[in-house]
């Protein structure tokens, strides 16, 4: 069975992604931060990594560079860019 590691700190989002892939026959594992993701990757190999760039314990871009030193696992990047508008700091998409 093909397996996917999802490194995402938003529990609702990681659950939704897991559900969709599991429905199509994939086995998924979720890590809420880079430390947990590193630990899981040391123990098991995966067919795909889905990685959030903004994690509480580090930068996903630096993690990708670190991972590329010893792995060629395909990576899908998750990110959300927002800009702050006005004094109310209303969040708007950049596009």
């Amino acid at each position: 069975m093909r397996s996917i590691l999802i490194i995402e700190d938003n529990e609702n989002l990681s659950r939704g992604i897991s559900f969709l892939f599991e429905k199509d026959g994939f086995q998924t594992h979720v890590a809420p931060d880079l430390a947990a993701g590193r630990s899981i990757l040391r123990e098991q190999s995966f067919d795909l990594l889905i990685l959030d760039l903004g994690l509480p314990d580090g930068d996903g871009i630096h993690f990708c560079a670190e991972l590329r030193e010893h792995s060629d696992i395909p990576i899908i990047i998750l990110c959300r860019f927002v800009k702050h508008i006005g004094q109310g700091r209303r969040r708007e998409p950049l596009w």
Side-chain angles (χ1 to χ4, degrees):
M1 177 180 287
R2 292 191 161 193
S3 60
I4 300 171
L5 175 60
I6 302 163
I7 304 178
E8 169 60 60
D9 61 327
N10 180 312
E11 188 178 339
N12 289 331
L13 183 55
S14 62
R15 250 188 307 189
I17 293 168
S18 289
F19 173 78
L20 291 173
F21 278 101
E22 288 171 358
K23 192 170 87 168
D24 285 337
F26 292 88
Q27 180 181 26
T28 63
H29 300 266
V30 175
D33 54 38
L34 292 175
R38 281 186 185 97
S39 177
I40 293 170
L41 282 167
R42 278 193 287 277
E43 301 295 320
Q44 188 174 345
S45 63
F46 292 89
D47 298 298
L48 175 67
L49 171 63
I50 299 177
L51 176 65
D52 182 11
L53 292 185
L55 292 159
D57 62 341
D59 179 353
I61 293 293
H62 290 104
F63 181 73
C64 282
E66 175 187 317
L67 189 59
R68 279 292 168 250
E69 292 177 9
H70 56 83
S71 174
D72 62 353
I73 184 174
I75 301 171
I76 295 175
I77 300 291
L78 297 178
C79 63
R80 182 182 79 155
F81 288 103
V82 295
K83 63 181 178 179
H84 300 290
I85 307 229
Q87 293 193 262
R89 292 180 55 125
R90 196 173 106 215
R91 290 184 168 205
E92 298 270 338
L94 286 176
W95 53 90

